[in-house]
């Protein structure tokens, strides 16, 4: 959304939320018209403190604006919770008035009002519907939506297991739905569990519904795995942006004595990586970190960092997350340590790595993807 207005105005006041990570060179805001619409509706039915639930608040703009009502913010993104904390401090507000609840837990409250941004993964939405259903009452005000271009065409069918769904008038290309909970309906079903095998590494992997690559081995990771016969000897290996743990666990299968550190900003991803470590019979040492890059890591530099970086943050496409991963990797590698990544050919990661490290080498390629390696 173009930065036409640098502040968020609503019935509770004026605020200046920012994205995390910041995007000073891009015209992006930490909120959009759907957030403004949700705040307008919240102002018509303000709940008592402690009875407001906010779901999937990307950069904390909703919880920031409604901090006086002691909301609980529920979602899968650690970055979103960090953005909320930073935005509260930036706006001179107490951070303790808002409780962040990770997606691996279910909020412990019976809310009067629910403000719910639709997540990108419809299976994750289905899970959230199933987990919240028991806490909703007929009088609960439930508003669900987002920017119209990002909403699945079948959104209404995902919400109807909760109760009747009314479509509200569109506003600035935002679309919201009002759900009236019906406790007499059958309990909504959870999304089906997924599992796939990677036989060449003796792995069987599962993951929650908001984890990238939960249903099958993605082709980029498959190409990166094809280079693992040439992994360098390493005592300490990181899987940065680990998802279900595929790269880190495959590397440990090749180098069983190495310590692996699997890090991701998704709570479901780190939970999946830890569960897959146990499921596949691995032995320590290993660490599993919910973290913005390596912020939560305290330890010696790495000999090897593996990464399949995302080229988007939510619905925003770009290389800002990948660039941060490359910069952080250079800081965390020992001298002579290796960063090995896979990316779409058109993203031009070789240019960025060459600029940052002074060296880069292609070790595998196919028509869509390229595997690059560089050393500190």
């Amino acid at each position: 959304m173009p930065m036409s207005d640098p502040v968020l105005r609503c019935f509770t006041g004026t605020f200046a939320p920012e994205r995390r990570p910041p995007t000073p060179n891009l015209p992006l805001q930490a909120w959009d018209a759907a957030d403004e619409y949700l705040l307008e509706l919240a102002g018509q039915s303000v709940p008592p403190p402690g009875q407001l639930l906010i779901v999937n608040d990307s950069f904390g703009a909703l919880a920031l604006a409604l901090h006086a009502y002691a909301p609980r913010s529920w979602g899968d993104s650690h970055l979103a919770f960090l953005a909320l904390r930073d935005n509260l401090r930036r706006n001179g507000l107490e951070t303790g008035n808002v409780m962040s609840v990770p997606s691996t837990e279910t909020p412990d409250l019976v809310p009067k009002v629910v403000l719910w941004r639709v997540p990108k993964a419809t299976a994750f939405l289905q899970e959230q519907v199933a987990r919240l259903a028991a806490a909703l009452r007929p009088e609960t005000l439930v508003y669900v939506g987002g920017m119209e271009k990002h909403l699945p065409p079948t959104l209404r069918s995902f919400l109807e297991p909760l109760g009747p769904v009314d479509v509200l008038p569109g506003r600035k290309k935002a679309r919201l739905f009002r759900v009236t909970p019906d406790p007499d309906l059958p309990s909504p079903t959870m999304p089906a569990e997924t599992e796939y095998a990677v036989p060449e590494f003796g792995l069987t992997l599962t993951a929650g519904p908001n984890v990238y690559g939960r249903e099958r081995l993605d082709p980029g990771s498959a190409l990166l795995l094809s280079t693992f016969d040439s992994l360098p000897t390493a005592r300490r290996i990181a899987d940065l942006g680990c998802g279900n743990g595929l790269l880190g666990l495959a590397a440990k299968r090749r180098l069983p004595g190495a310590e692996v550190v699997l890090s991701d900003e998704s709570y479901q991803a780190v939970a999946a990586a830890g569960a897959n470590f146990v499921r596949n019979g691995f032995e320590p040492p290993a660490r599993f970190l919910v973290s913005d890059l390596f912020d939560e890591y305290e330890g010696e530099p790495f000999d090897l960092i593996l990464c399949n970086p995302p080229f988007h943050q939510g619905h925003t496409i770009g290389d800002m997350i990948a660039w941060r991963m490359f910069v952080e990797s250079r800081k965390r590698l020992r001298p002579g340590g290796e960063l090995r990544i896979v990316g779409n050919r058109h993203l031009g990661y070789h240019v960025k790595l060459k600029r940052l490290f002074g060296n880069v080498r292609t070790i595998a390629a196919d028509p869509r993807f390229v595997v690059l390696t560089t050393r500190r």
Side-chain angles (χ1 to χ4, degrees):
M1 179 176 175
M3 182 95 58
S4 58
D5 187 353
V7 295
L8 171 62
R9 295 182 174 89
C10 67
F11 74 98
T12 58
T14 300
F15 306 91
E18 294 184 7
R19 297 170 66 96
R20 180 166 177 153
T23 54
N25 298 322
L26 294 173
L28 300 172
Q29 289 185 174
W31 75 97
D32 59 24
D35 293 314
E36 294 171 350
Y37 201 171
L38 286 167
L39 289 170
E40 180 183 327
L41 293 171
Q44 298 172 11
S45 305
V46 178
Q51 296 184 38
L52 169 63
L53 177 63
I54 298 171
V55 186
N56 307 323
D57 191 7
S58 296
F59 300 101
L62 292 172
L64 169 68
L66 298 171
H67 73 283
Y69 300 96
R72 299 193 188 184
S73 182
W74 187 40
D76 189 48
S77 172
H78 183 61
L79 272 176
F81 292 155
L82 293 177
L84 169 59
R85 180 202 64 188
D86 294 345
N87 281 321
L88 288 167
R89 291 173 177 171
R90 186 177 294 111
N91 287 267
L93 302 172
E94 288 291 331
T95 59
N97 212 37
V98 180
M99 179 184 296
S100 296
V101 182
S103 64
T104 48
E105 303 175 13
T106 300
D108 182 20
L109 82 164
V110 177
K112 294 290 186 182
V113 176
V114 179
L115 305 180
W116 194 340
R117 293 296 306 253
V118 174
K120 190 173 182 179
T122 55
F124 185 38
L125 174 63
Q126 184 183 0
E127 181 192 61
Q128 290 183 324
V129 165
R131 293 175 70 177
L132 278 187
L136 303 181
R137 301 291 181 265
E139 65 273 15
T140 305
L141 294 174
V142 182
Y143 297 110
V144 187
M147 298 307 292
E148 195 158 14
K149 65 181 179 180
H150 297 147
L151 298 179
T154 56
L155 176 58
R156 189 167 188 158
S157 66
F158 281 99
L159 301 176
E160 285 174 340
L162 294 174
V165 179
D166 296 314
V167 183
L168 302 182
R171 184 83 55 82
K172 297 180 182 178
K173 300 182 180 180
R175 175 67 66 185
L176 296 187
F177 297 75
R178 165 77 165 91
V179 182
T180 302
D182 183 352
D184 293 329
L185 289 175
S187 298
T189 58
M190 294 283 282
E193 290 190 0
T194 61
E195 178 181 294
Y196 68 88
V198 188
E200 58 269 38
F201 291 90
L203 298 176
T204 300
L205 302 173
T206 64
N210 200 43
V211 179
Y212 174 74
R214 67 183 289 262
E215 296 180 333
R216 65 186 65 86
L217 176 61
D218 69 279
S221 292
L223 185 63
L224 181 50
L225 290 176
S226 74
T227 72
F228 274 26
D229 285 342
S230 68
L231 287 180
T233 300
R235 293 186 301 108
R236 190 168 293 105
I237 301 170
D239 181 351
L240 180 57
C242 65
N244 61 13
L246 167 67
L247 300 180
L249 299 185
K252 190 165 177 66
R253 194 69 90 197
R254 289 285 187 265
L255 301 166
E259 177 186 16
V260 290
V261 175
L262 297 97
S263 171
D264 204 293
E265 69 96 21
S266 160
Y267 290 91
Q268 288 198 359
V270 175
N276 286 327
F277 183 89
V278 174
R279 178 179 294 107
N280 287 278
F282 287 100
E283 298 290 338
R287 280 188 264 182
F288 304 89
L289 304 177
V290 178
S291 178
D292 180 8
L293 304 176
F294 291 121
D295 281 1
E296 302 300 320
Y297 174 70
E298 296 181 359
E300 297 298 316
F302 295 103
D303 303 298
L304 173 65
I305 297 178
L306 303 165
C307 186
N308 182 354
F311 56 90
H312 57 81
Q313 184 176 20
H315 294 285
T316 301
I317 296 174
D319 65 358
M320 54 275 193
I321 300 297
W323 177 250
R324 292 182 74 230
M325 287 178 154
F326 301 159
V327 171
E328 182 71 5
S329 293
R330 190 179 186 281
K331 294 177 183 176
R332 297 289 186 159
L333 283 169
R334 64 165 177 80
E338 177 183 345
L339 170 64
R340 188 174 296 196
I341 70 112
V342 64
N344 291 77
R345 281 177 172 272
H346 72 272
L347 294 172
Y349 287 155
H350 64 286
V351 176
K352 295 175 175 61
L353 292 172
K354 181 68 178 294
R355 185 193 323 158
L356 185 61
F357 286 84
N359 67 92
V360 65
R361 186 165 56 93
T362 301
I363 57 173
D366 65 20
R368 291 180 58 197
F369 298 97
V370 61
V371 177
L372 304 172
T373 180
T374 184
R375 291 187 176 273
R376 181 181 170 192

